[in-house]
C-alpha cells in the first residue's frame, strides 16, 4: 500500500496571513492510507476545505475505481461555494489516487519522475483527479514563496529516490530545506508564506 512522507513550512508573523492544515489517516480494516493538506490566506476557508475533504473520505465515490470524473465534478461543485476572490489550494491522496485543486494566489506544484528524469510543473487554477506513483512529490504553496524560491524548490525539493534513506530522514531534510528557503524569502521581503510537501512511497519504506 501507499504511504506518505510529509513536511511543511509556515512563516511565523505577529498577525497570521496564511493558514495551513495537514492530516494523515490510516484505515486499519482496509490497510489504506490517506493524506490531505489545505492552504489559504483565510482560516475559515481552510476549515471549509478540510470539512469537504472529510466528507469525501466518509463517502463512497472516492473509494470506487473508475469514478475519477464524478469525483472531480462533485468537488468542483463544493468549491463553487467559495468566492472568485478567494485564495486556496489543496490536495487529497488516497493510495495512488490524488485530488488537486487551487485558486487565486495559491498553487499546486508537482515533480513527476519518468524514465529517470524529474519534470517540474505548476498547476494553476485547476481541480483535477489523477494518479500518483511512488517518488512523485507534490507541493502546495502561496505565490510569494514560489516567486522568491522557484528555482531552489525545483532543484532541492525534487525527490531523491534511494532505498538507503529512511522516510523520517527524508521528511527531516525536506522540512529543513523548506525552512531555509522560507527564511531566505522572508529576508528579501516575502510575507504570508507557507508550503506543504507530500511524497508518496510504497509501504514498508520501499520507494
Amino acid at each position: 500500500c501507499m504511504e506518505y512522507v510529509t513536511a511543511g513550512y509556515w512563516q511565523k508573523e505577529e498577525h497570521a496571513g496564511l493558514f495551513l492544515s495537514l492530516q494523515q489517516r490510516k484505515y486499519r480494516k482496509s490497510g489504506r492510507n490517506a493524506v490531505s493538506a489545505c492552504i489559504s490566506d483565510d482560516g475559515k476557508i481552510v476549515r471549509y476545505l478540510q470539512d469537504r475533504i472529510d466528507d469525501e473520505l466518509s463517502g463512497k465515490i472516492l473509494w470506487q475505481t473508475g469514478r475519477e470524473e464524478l469525483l472531480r465534478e462533485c468537488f468542483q461543485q463544493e468549491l463553487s461555494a467559495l468566492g472568485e476572490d478567494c485564495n486556496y489550494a489543496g490536495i487529497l491522496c488516497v493510495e495512488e489516487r490524488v485530488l488537486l485543486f487551487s485558486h487565486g494566489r495559491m498553487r499546486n506544484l508537482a515533480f513527476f519522475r519518468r524514465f529517470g528524469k524529474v519534470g517540474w510543473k505548476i498547476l494553476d487554477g485547476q481541480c483535477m483527479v489523477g494518479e500518483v506513483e511512488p517518488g512523485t512529490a507534490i507541493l502546495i504553496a502561496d505565490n510569494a514563496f514560489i516567486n522568491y524560491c522557484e528555482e531552489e524548490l525545483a532543484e532541492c525539493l525534487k525527490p531523491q529516490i534511494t532505498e538507503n534513506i529512511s522516510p523520517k530522514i527524508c521528511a527531516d531534510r525536506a522540512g529543513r530545506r523548506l525552512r531555509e528557503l522560507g527564511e531566505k524569502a522572508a529576508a528579501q521581503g516575502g510575507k504570508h508564506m507557507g508550503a506543504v510537501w507530500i511524497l508518496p512511497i510504497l509501504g514498508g519504506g520501499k520507494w
Side-chain angles (χ1 to χ4, degrees):
C1 64
M2 199 81 76
E3 296 181 358
Y4 307 98
V5 180
T6 62
Y9 165 73
W10 179 69
Q11 183 182 16
K12 293 182 179 181
E13 298 176 289
E14 183 176 354
H15 301 288
L18 194 77
F19 302 86
L20 298 169
S21 73
L22 174 62
Q23 296 186 10
Q24 293 202 53
R25 298 185 182 189
K26 184 174 182 64
Y27 296 85
R28 295 185 180 276
K29 289 185 178 180
S30 65
R32 292 175 172 178
N33 298 299
V35 62
S36 63
C38 302
I39 182 173
S40 176
D41 54 7
D42 187 330
K44 293 181 179 179
I45 291 179
V46 169
R47 287 192 293 272
Y48 173 84
L49 294 172
Q50 193 61 59
D51 286 345
R52 300 292 73 76
I53 287 175
D54 290 343
D55 290 343
E56 295 297 338
L57 288 168
S58 300
K60 296 181 179 180
I61 296 176
L62 180 65
W63 306 98
Q64 298 173 343
T65 58
R67 308 296 294 276
E68 287 80 5
E69 183 59 25
L70 179 58
L71 173 62
R72 188 197 67 79
E73 291 177 357
C74 290
F75 205 83
Q76 181 67 66
Q77 188 173 7
E78 298 285 0
L79 294 175
S80 65
L82 299 172
E84 284 297 317
D85 295 332
C86 295
N87 303 296
Y88 58 82
I91 177 175
L92 168 61
C93 291
V94 177
E95 291 301 301
E96 71 279 355
R97 184 173 295 182
V98 59
L99 168 69
L100 297 166
F101 55 89
S102 63
H103 189 272
R105 69 179 187 88
M106 307 296 166
R107 299 285 187 269
N108 300 110
L109 306 95
F111 300 88
F112 296 104
R113 182 170 60 91
R114 295 293 186 274
F115 308 111
K117 296 183 179 180
V118 176
W120 163 261
K121 186 176 182 180
I122 297 177
L123 306 176
D124 181 11
Q126 302 179 47
C127 179
M128 59 182 291
V129 177
E131 292 186 352
V132 295
E133 296 181 359
T136 300
I138 301 173
L139 184 81
I140 60 173
D142 66 287
N143 259 354
F145 196 29
I146 297 168
N147 290 340
Y148 280 107
C149 304
E150 181 174 342
E151 291 185 5
E152 291 93 336
L153 287 171
E155 178 62 28
C156 300
L157 291 182
K158 63 185 180 183
Q160 302 295 321
I161 306 305
T162 172
E163 296 182 358
N164 296 322
I165 300 179
S166 72
K168 183 181 185 305
I169 292 176
C170 180
D172 290 343
R173 287 181 177 178
R176 183 167 58 250
R177 187 55 176 154
L178 282 174
R179 290 192 298 273
E180 291 172 353
L181 293 177
E183 291 170 358
K184 172 189 172 183
Q188 297 178 10
K191 297 180 180 179
H192 314 320
M193 297 182 297
V196 176
W197 181 82
I198 298 173
L199 177 67
I201 64 173
L202 290 178
K206 297 180 180 179
W207 296 44

